[in-house]
DNA sequence: AAAAAATGTTACAAGCATGTCCAATATCAT
DNA sequence: ATGATATTGGACATGCTTGTAACATTTTTT
C-alpha cells in the first residue's frame, strides 16, 4: 500500500530546511518550525525518527540542534519518506490473488520508488522557479 | 498525501474480476469473493462505493449481482482507486511552505496520476506472464 | 403467497495515525 | 555550581481506517 501522509511530507520539508543551513551548521527545532510551519511538538517526533534512521545527527543542550548526517546529494527523498512511514509501497500476500495483479502492483512499486529516488539536493535545482538574469 | 490501502487494492481486484465475466454477465459477491479472497462483508462495502461512483451497476434479489457499467477499456485504475480513497494525491496548504516544495509535490502528483492512468483492460495485456507457444 | 437468494445499509470493535504535551536528560554560559 | 536551553522519550487524546456482522430491502423461484 502506498503511504505518504503529512508526516512524510513534513519530514521532507524539515530535511529541505536543514539542507539550507549554511555550512551545515546545526539548526534548532525552533528555527525549523518557523521555516516550515510545522508545530514544535510534532517536529520533535519527526526529527527523532529521522535520527533513528541516521539521516540527521543531533547535539543536545543549549546551542544544540540537528543537522544532516550526509551531504544533501547523498540523500534521496525515498529514504526520508520511508524513515517516517516504513516501506513506501508493499504488496502483501493475497491482495493480488492473481498473477496479473501481483505483477501489476510489483511494477507500480518499482515505478513509484523510481519516482521518489530524487536527491535532496536536486529539489532546488529541479523545482526552483525560473528567474530572469539582469 | 498519497493514499492507497488495501481498500483500493481490493477494489482493483474486484473490478479486474468483473472485467473477466464472460459477456459482462452479472457476478455475485460470492463469486468475486471466491476469486479474490476478499471477505464477503468487506466486498459489500467496496462494491457499494464502486456503485456510488458509477463504475459498476447492480441488480438486487436472487440471481442479482454486479457488472461493469462501462467496457474495461473505458475505465482507468486511477478512477477505481479514487472511488474508494478519494483524491489519490492532494497537497494541502502549508505543507510545502516553500515554493520549491510546492512545485515538487505538485509534480509528483502529476506523475503519480499518470502512473495510475492505465486502463483496466490493459492489465492483462501488460502483465500477463509470458507463455511459450507449442 | 411464502421462502430463498441477493444486494443495501448501518453499527461497531480493534487498531493505527496524527498531533500535543510534559518530564527527563544533556549541554552551554556565566 | 547553577540556571538556561535543547534534545529525548514516552504518555495520551482524538479521530480515521479496516474489517466484521447483523439487519433491512428487493427480486426470483416454487
Amino acid at each position: 500500500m502506498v503511504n505518504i501522509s503529512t508526516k512524510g511530507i513534513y519530514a521532507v520539508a524539515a530535511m529541505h530546511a536543514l539542507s539550507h543551513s549554511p555550512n551545515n551548521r546545526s539548526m534548532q527545532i525552533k528555527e525549523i518550525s518557523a521555516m516550515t510551519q510545522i508545530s514544535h511538538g510534532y517536529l520533535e517526533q519527526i526529527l527523532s525518527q529521522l535520527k533513528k534512521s541516521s539521516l540527521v545527527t543531533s547535539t543536545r543542550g543549549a546551542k544544540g540542534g540537528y543537522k544532516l548526517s550526509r551531504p544533501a546529494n547523498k540523500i534521496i527523498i525515498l529514504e526520508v519518506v520511508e524513515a517516517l512511514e516504513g516501506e513506501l509501497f508493499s504488496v502483501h500476500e493475497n491482495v493480488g490473488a492473481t498473477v496479473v495483479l501481483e505483477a501489476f502492483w510489483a511494477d507500480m512499486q518499482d515505478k513509484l520508488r523510481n519516482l521518489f529516488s530524487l536527491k535532496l539536493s536536486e529539489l532546488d535545482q529541479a523545482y526552483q522557479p525560473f528567474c530572469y538574469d539582469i
Side-chain angles (χ1 to χ4, degrees), chain A:
Chain A
M1 345 296 166
V2 185
N3 193 27
I4 302 185
S5 57
T6 48
K7 218 170 183 174
I9 293 183
Y10 288 166
V12 173
M15 292 292 282
H16 181 246
L18 285 177
S19 79
H20 279 70
S21 173
N23 210 21
N24 198 25
R25 155 194 141 264
S26 265
M27 281 182 73
Q28 302 182 347
I29 290 184
K30 219 189 312 178
E31 300 176 74
I32 303 174
S33 173
M35 286 177 68
T36 60
Q37 313 293 343
I38 304 165
S39 83
H40 191 280
Y42 207 17
L43 267 177
E44 289 170 359
Q45 254 188 57
I46 289 168
L47 286 166
S48 166
Q49 285 280 125
L50 289 172
K51 186 185 175 180
K52 265 186 200 150
S53 303
S54 304
L55 287 167
V56 301
T57 59
S58 68
T59 57
R60 304 180 65 164
K63 296 275 176 187
Y66 292 90
K67 58 181 169 184
L68 299 184
S69 65
R70 292 176 255 153
N73 63 356
K74 299 286 185 196
I75 296 175
I76 62 177
I77 306 291
L78 184 67
E79 287 180 277
V80 178
V81 173
E82 292 197 330
L84 270 288
E85 329 228 31
E87 208 177 4
L88 176 63
F89 195 116
S90 56
V91 181
H92 299 320
E93 312 296 319
N94 291 332
V95 291
T98 73
V99 178
V100 169
L101 290 179
E102 270 173 37
F104 167 64
W105 289 116
D107 186 42
M108 280 303 190
Q109 173 169 13
D110 236 49
K111 288 177 175 167
L112 268 174
R113 296 178 72 85
N114 264 332
L115 216 54
F116 280 91
S117 292
L118 191 80
K119 292 174 193 163
L120 189 57
S121 56
E122 289 174 322
L123 276 182
D124 297 296
Q125 300 157 24
Y127 296 100
Q128 200 67 257
F130 186 78
C131 292
Y132 292 103
D133 289 356
I134 302 176

